[in-house]
Amino acid sequence: MSILEFSRGPMLHFALIVFVFGVLWRLTATFLLGFRQRRSEPRVTKGQAMAGGATVLGMRSWPHKEFIGRTAFGEAVGYGYHIGLFTIVLLGAPHVLFWQNLFGFSAPWWPTLPGGLITFISILTVMLMLIATIRRVGHPVLRRISNFDDYFTLVILYALMLTGLMTVLGIGGRYEYILAAHIISFNALLIWFPFSKLMHAFYIFPSRFLNGYMHAKKGAAK
Amino acid sequence: MSNKNPRNQQPTIGEVMDQAGVGRRQFMKYCAGITAMMAMPPLSTAAFARDLRAARRPSVIYMPFQECTGCLESLTRSFAPALENLMFNTISLDYNHTLQAAAGEAAEAARHAAMEENFGEYVLICDGSLPTKINGAYGTSDGHTFLQQLEEAAEGAAAIVAVGSCAAFGGVAAAYPNPTGAVGVADLVKDRPIINVPGCPPMPEVMTGVLVSFLASGVPALDKHLRPKAFFGDTIHDRCYRRRFYDRGLFAKSFDDEGARNGWCLYELGCRGPTTYNACATIKWNGGASWPVEAGHGCIGCSEPNFWDQGGFYEPLTAKLFKERGQAAAAAAAGVAVGAAAAYGARRRQKKLAGDAE
Ligand code: HEM
Ligand code: SF4
Ligand code: SF4
């Protein structure tokens, strides 16, 4: 079995199983934890509380007026990076094929972007990731609150994106090795995902919503 | 340089060419074609031609093992230019039991005589895989197993050219469950230079090109599968004229849809071009007439080890990945169970702490 066959065969298989297992473990454990009992009288109706949740969800996803000078740059980089990443993964032709093959459906309607454009976006996205890394290391507060999880996740993402670019540009060695390295990085991401900050993909919006919901219920939302 | 060596009594290739009335210009054109095909710098053509003219006509022993004769068909029925055929004729093919008139004992005697006379000098071409199970008894001729014949013939070979994916990697005969224990030449012979020219069949131009370049300048640069880099340096995908459709995400979804008619990329129909190293996309088949992808069929990866055990030829490369949904469902159920248990434990702790605090 060649390394490419291994990476997209048994290793991918294993990584997917760890991913499914780990993510459901984390999600179930969190959602079954339950909520602390609120002893205060609800100040608003359920509908209003939900609206409060939605408001906070939206608000937290945008820089606050008060701090915009300090946070806008970081947020812009973050947004740019995530948009780039999703564009590559959801609209890049090889990836679209991969998802279809993985889940076993054919979707001729699924749009893809030209390869050259995806490559361009990939280079931009890697540069944004680089800026985010420099900021993390350079910013006195960010540096102090960064831990192994933050850096290791970055390492995996760099490996994934750089090998992806190398695959397209045909640099760094034989195609099947670079592609195998790309898929192995993806497998590493899948395995690391449930046990790391990457879980924010699942938690971020529910937690923002809940936060707003609770506050609204207590009458603490403005 | 000793006169005892019979190869020194062989005419040089230049002499053979002169005798056949091949003009210098025609010969140079041929050499230019070969060097271009091998992506050698244009200025090297003169030196290549000089070395090739000076090379002595080699003795070639062609040993067929567990094979289908497709490789030999490819070679002999190529639409290659007359000169290329002539090139093939300049070698002294001392043994090939499919082509030669002599048969049986006489043929074997001729082979042994050629091997003895040219010991250490002859080029051994092999096609077909070597069955290894039950001591090689699945493949025998003239009372000897192929294993024994290869061992004997390899001993005096200056180099071995393993022609076709069977001789190179085991080939279709080695497909799961490989009943005969088929392997390639390089799996057995470790102490001779081996050049693999895989393909099912290999391209005739590549076979002759490899022979000629070996005569002119010895064993060429090889990749990790012992394939000459000059011919196997790029993937089909690197050189595919449908590549612009791949890059734009335009794929044929079936062999008779709009995309297929428009000549879009065949990746979704199983094309193995991205991981297949061969020269089809540049040299093309049948004298440059066309090649599989141009004819509308994806590359099946025939020059790669193990191409025969990679799932259906019409399944995209990654299609076979996640068939075992049961396992995913089990992983999901296990995740939910472990998560629920963790939550239950946490809540009990919470309650206990709350109780303690009150
Ligand atoms: C800079 C960003 C990226 C670029 C330029 C890129 C490019 C590529 C290319 C060219 C392939 C080749 C497909 C083939 O030949 O079969 C590929 C495959 C793949 N990529 Fe990416 N990629 C990038 C980021 C990512 C990310 C972030 C992920 C994970 C979410 C990912 C997951 C995959 C997977 C799973 C495959 C394997 C498909 C297969 O088995 O053939 N890639 N990528
Ligand atoms: S048809 Fe095959 S070799 Fe050609 S671009 Fe598509 S995937 Fe690559
Ligand atoms: S296109 Fe692919 S499968 Fe077809 S002959 Fe060439 S290498 Fe072999």
Side-chain angles (χ1 to χ4, degrees), chain A residues 4-5 8 12-13 16-17 20-21 24-25 28-29 32-33 93 97-98 101-104 112 114-115 174-177, chain B residues 224 227 247 249 251 267-268 274-275 277 306 310 318 321-322 325 327-328 331-332 334-336 338-339 343 346-347:
Chain A
L4 179 58
E5 286 168 63
R8 55 156 68 122
L12 177 63
H13 197 100
L16 282 165
I17 291 203
V20 170
F21 168 78
L24 276 156
W25 166 4
T28 319
L32 287 187
L33 257 186
L97 286 175
F98 176 76
N101 295 333
L102 185 64
F103 296 110
T112 50
R174 293 173 66 86
Y175 185 84
E176 64 271 28
Y177 288 148
Chain B
K224 65 170 172 163
R227 300 176 294 198
D247 286 340
F251 300 97
Y267 185 87
E268 285 209 55
T275 47
Y277 291 80
N306 237 16
Q310 302 278 334
T318 41
L321 287 183
F322 212 37
R325 309 242 161 132
Q327 284 185 19
V336 170
V338 174
R347 285 179 82 158

Side-chain angles (χ1 to χ4, degrees), chain A residues 30-91:
Chain A
T30 311
F31 289 119
L32 287 187
L33 257 186
F35 301 99
R36 215 175 335 136
Q37 243 194 332
R38 304 283 169 190
R39 302 198 201 266
S40 71
E41 198 62 21
R43 304 299 204 282
V44 296
T45 66
K46 208 161 190 151
Q48 283 168 315
M50 301 270 251
T55 312
V56 169
L57 204 169
M59 259 167 43
R60 291 278 167 88
S61 307
W62 205 248
H64 194 284
K65 267 209 303 293
E66 188 111 6
F67 309 115
I68 196 157
R70 266 185 284 163
T71 61
F73 178 70
E75 297 217 9
V77 171
Y79 263 104
Y81 172 70
H82 280 85
I83 292 170
L85 194 66
F86 282 110
T87 310
I88 298 161
V89 171
L90 295 179
L91 296 177

